[in-house]
C-alpha cells in the first residue's frame, strides 16, 4: 500500500472505531440499564399500584375504573397489575415487586397465609402505605381495608333464601376459589344465617376458579351428583351467569332458586329474565375510588379508620324495575 492509502485506511478505521464505540456506549447503556430508583414520575404527586386478583376480570376492571377516576382528580399515577389467571403465588410476587419499586402506596386484594402478612410487614417497614380492598386480612399490618363486609354479605344471601323459600331446601354452592378469604367469609356468614332455621342444608361446595365456564361446569356437576338440589348460590361475580348456563344444560325446566353475587350487567339481565332470583350487590367502582383517596390521606397521616365498608345489599327483580321507573336508587 502507498503511504497515502495507508494513512487514509488508518484514519477511516479510527473514525469507524470511534463511531461504534460511542454507539455501543449509548445503546448498551439503554439496553442494560435497570431502573433501581423509585420509578415515580415527577409529573405526578404520587405513584400507587393496584394489584388485582385477575387482570381481565370485569369486576376488577370496575375497581380499576374507580381508582382511575380518583387518580385523575388528584394527579396520581396508578399502575394496574394482576396475574392473567387468578393465582395467589403470582399476586404475592407482584406485591414484592411493587415494594422493591418503592411505589408510594399499594392497594391489593388480601391473600390468605403468612407470606402475605410478611410481605405487608416488609412494605410497611419501608414506609410504603399498603391497604387491602375487596378482601381483608385483619392479621396483617395493612393500614386500612376498603370493601364489602364479606361475612355480612354472606348473611344477606342467607336472608334472601330464608325469605323467599319455604320448607326444606338443599343448597349447592359455587364459590370463586376455596383459598380466597372473601369467599370463605361469605360462606361462613351464609351458614350462620341459615343455621337457626334448621331447614336449609348445604349439600356441597364446588369451585369455579372465578370463571363463567368454571361456574357452569360446577353447577352442572352439582346437579348431576345431587338431583335433590333446590337452591344454587354463587359467591363470586361470574358464578351466577355460569350457573344459569350449567342449569340450562342439565335441567332446563327445573325451578331452582338461584342467588348470585355482584351486579355485572349480564347478571342484571338474567334477573330481569327471571333466570336469577336475587343477587348480592357490591360496589367495586366505589372501592377503587375510595381506596385511592385513603392512600392519599395516608401520605399525610398514619392513622385512619381501619375497616371502611362499602355498601352491600340484596337486589331482586322489583328493585331493578323500581330503578328503571325512576323511583328508588
Ligand atoms: C369478588 C372478587 C372476585 C370476583 C370474581 C367478586 O364477587 O368480590 O374477589 O375477584 O368476584 O369475579
Amino acid at each position: 500500500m502507498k503511504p497515502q492509502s495507508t494513512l487514509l485506511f488508518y484514519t477511516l478505521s479510527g473514525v469507524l472505531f470511534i463511531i461504534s464505540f460511542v454507539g455501543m456506549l449509548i445503546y448498551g447503556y439503554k439496553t442494560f440499564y435497570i431502573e433501581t430508583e423509585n420509578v415515580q414520575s415527577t409529573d405526578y404527586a404520587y405513584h400507587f399500584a393496584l394489584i388485582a386478583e385477575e387482570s381481565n376480570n370485569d369486576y376488577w376492571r370496575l375497581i380499576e375504573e374507580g381508582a382511575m377516576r380518583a387518580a385523575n382528580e388528584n394527579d396520581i399515577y396508578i399502575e394496574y397489575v394482576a396475574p392473567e389467571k387468578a393465582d395467589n403465588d403470582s399476586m404475592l410476587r407482584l406485591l414484592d415487586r411493587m415494594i422493591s419499586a418503592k411505589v408510594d402506596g399499594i392497594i391489593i386484594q388480601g391473600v390468605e397465609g403468612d407470606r402475605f402478612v410478611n410481605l405487608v410487614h416488609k412494605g410497611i417497614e419501608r414506609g410504603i402505605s399498603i391497604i387491602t380492598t375487596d378482601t381483608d386480612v385483619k392479621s396483617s399490618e395493612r393500614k386500612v381495608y376498603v370493601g364489602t363486609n364479606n361475612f355480612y354479605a354472606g348473611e344477606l344471601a342467607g336472608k334472601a333464601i330464608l325469605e323467599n323459600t319455604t320448607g326444606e331446601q338443599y343448597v349447592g354452592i359455587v364459590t370463586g376459589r376455596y383459598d380466597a378469604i372473601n369467599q370463605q367469609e361469605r360462606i361462613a356468614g351464609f351458614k350462620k344465617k341459615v343455621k337457626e332455621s334448621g331447614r336449609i342444608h348445604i349439600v356441597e361446595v364446588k369451585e369455579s376458579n372465578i370463571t363463567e365456564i368454571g361456574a357452569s361446569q360446577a353447577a352442572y356437576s352439582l346437579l348431576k351428583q345431587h338431583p335433590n338440589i333446590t337452591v344454587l348460590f354463587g359467591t363470586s361475580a361470574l358464578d351466577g351467569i355460569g350457573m344459569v348456563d350449567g342449569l340450562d344444560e342439565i335441567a332446563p325446566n327445573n325451578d331452582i332458586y338461584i342467588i348470585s353475587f355482584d351486579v355485572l350487567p349480564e347478571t342484571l339481565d338474567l334477573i330481569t329474565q327471571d333466570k336469577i332470583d336475587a343477587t348480592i350487590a357490591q360496589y367495586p367502582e366505589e372501592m377503587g375510588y375510595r381506596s385511592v383517596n385513603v392512600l392519599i390521606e395516608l401520605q399525610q397521616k398514619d392513622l385512619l379508620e381501619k375497616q371502611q365498608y362499602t355498601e352491600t345489599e340484596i337486589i331482586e327483580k322489583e328493585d331493578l324495575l323500581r330503578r328503571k321507573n325512576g323511583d328508588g336508587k
Side-chain angles (χ1 to χ4, degrees):
M1 238 189 272
K2 288 186 194 155
Q4 268 173 334
S5 320
T6 313
L7 184 65
L8 188 66
F9 174 76
Y10 282 120
T11 313
L12 277 177
S13 310
V15 169
L16 271 176
F17 174 76
I18 291 170
I19 292 174
S20 345
F21 186 71
V22 171
M24 188 195 79
L25 283 183
I26 295 173
Y27 293 106
Y29 172 79
K30 279 195 179 161
T31 311
F32 298 110
Y33 174 70
I34 296 169
E35 201 155 18
T36 47
E37 273 305 288
N38 192 339
V39 289
Q40 177 180 320
S41 154
T42 45
D43 295 346
Y44 296 98
Y46 300 114
H47 173 185
F48 296 153
L50 167 58
I51 307 177
E53 183 176 8
E54 187 172 84
S55 58
N56 262 332
N57 185 289
D58 288 350
Y59 172 89
W60 282 97
R61 287 292 181 189
L62 289 170
I63 296 191
E64 184 198 13
E65 249 176 64
M68 291 302 176
R69 182 160 63 89
N72 290 336
E73 287 171 9
N74 292 283
D75 197 23
I76 306 287
Y77 174 59
I78 299 271
E79 203 168 337
Y80 176 81
V81 290
E84 219 177 291
K85 289 260 101 260
D87 160 38
N88 287 355
D89 195 55
S90 313
M91 248 207 306
L92 292 170
R93 270 187 274 124
L94 284 172
L95 174 58
D96 203 12
R97 215 172 83 197
M98 287 301 144
I99 294 171
S100 305
K102 297 186 185 136
V103 295
D104 300 304
I106 299 175
I107 305 163
I108 184 168
Q109 181 193 43
V111 179
E112 191 177 42
D114 288 347
R115 266 176 77 202
F116 178 78
V117 174
N118 294 338
L119 278 171
V120 171
H121 174 73
K122 175 172 155 186
I124 297 284
E125 266 204 326
R126 293 185 183 185
I128 300 173
S129 311
I130 301 182
I131 67 169
T132 46
T133 192
D134 175 71
T135 304
D136 197 14
V137 179
K138 292 188 201 79
S139 59
S140 73
E141 288 166 52
R142 54 88 182 114
K143 295 284 175 192
V144 172
Y145 167 66
V146 179
T148 297
N149 177 339
N150 286 297
F151 188 85
Y152 171 70
E155 287 186 306
L156 280 185
K159 179 169 180 262
I161 292 172
L162 288 172
E163 286 174 1
N164 290 289
T165 62
T166 51
E168 304 291 304
Q169 298 295 324
Y170 298 90
V171 187
I173 298 184
V174 175
T175 194
R177 293 192 300 135
Y178 296 134
D179 59 2
I181 299 172
N182 63 350
Q183 305 294 294
Q184 296 162 6
E185 287 175 345
R186 288 173 195 179
I187 294 175
F190 176 79
K191 282 186 176 161
K192 181 183 164 246
K193 185 73 187 178
V194 298
K195 197 170 172 211
E196 301 137 28
S197 77
R199 65 178 180 87
I200 314 278
H201 315 281
I202 296 172
V203 177
E204 201 186 333
V205 182
K206 279 196 192 287
E207 202 177 28
S208 68
N209 259 310
I210 68 168
T211 66
E212 204 176 307
I213 179 84
S216 167
Q217 285 162 355
Y220 184 94
S221 65
L222 277 172
L223 293 165
K224 196 168 166 77
Q225 284 163 28
H226 313 279
N228 63 333
I229 283 178
T230 52
V231 174
L232 280 175
F233 170 33
T235 65
S236 76
L238 300 170
D239 295 340
I241 308 163
M243 282 174 353
V244 169
D245 257 14
L247 175 64
D248 273 354
E249 279 288 310
I250 193 165
N253 299 317
N254 197 334
D255 187 24
I256 284 183
Y257 184 85
I258 296 196
I259 178 155
S260 66
F261 245 86
D262 292 290
V263 285
L264 292 179
E266 217 178 319
T267 303
L268 298 185
D269 282 351
L270 291 169
I271 294 182
T272 317
Q273 294 164 32
D274 295 315
K275 294 203 162 204
I276 292 181
D277 295 280
T279 196
I280 307 302
Q282 305 193 82
Y283 294 92
E285 208 267 353
E286 175 69 15
M287 289 180 208
Y289 185 79
R290 275 178 59 183
S291 292
V292 169
N293 280 299
V294 162
L295 275 188
I296 295 171
E297 268 193 83
L298 283 170
Q299 307 301 308
Q300 317 300 336
K301 52 179 170 187
D302 199 40
L303 275 184
L304 294 181
E305 195 191 320
K306 289 245 176 249
Q307 276 167 320
Q308 303 197 16
Y309 291 134
T310 46
E311 222 189 311
T312 316
E313 59 187 325
I314 304 171
I315 301 284
E316 292 168 332
K317 192 173 176 179
E318 303 87 79
D319 303 302
L320 298 181
L321 295 177
R322 218 175 322 121
R323 283 179 191 186
K324 205 169 149 199
N325 296 332
D327 36 314
K329 286 195 290 176

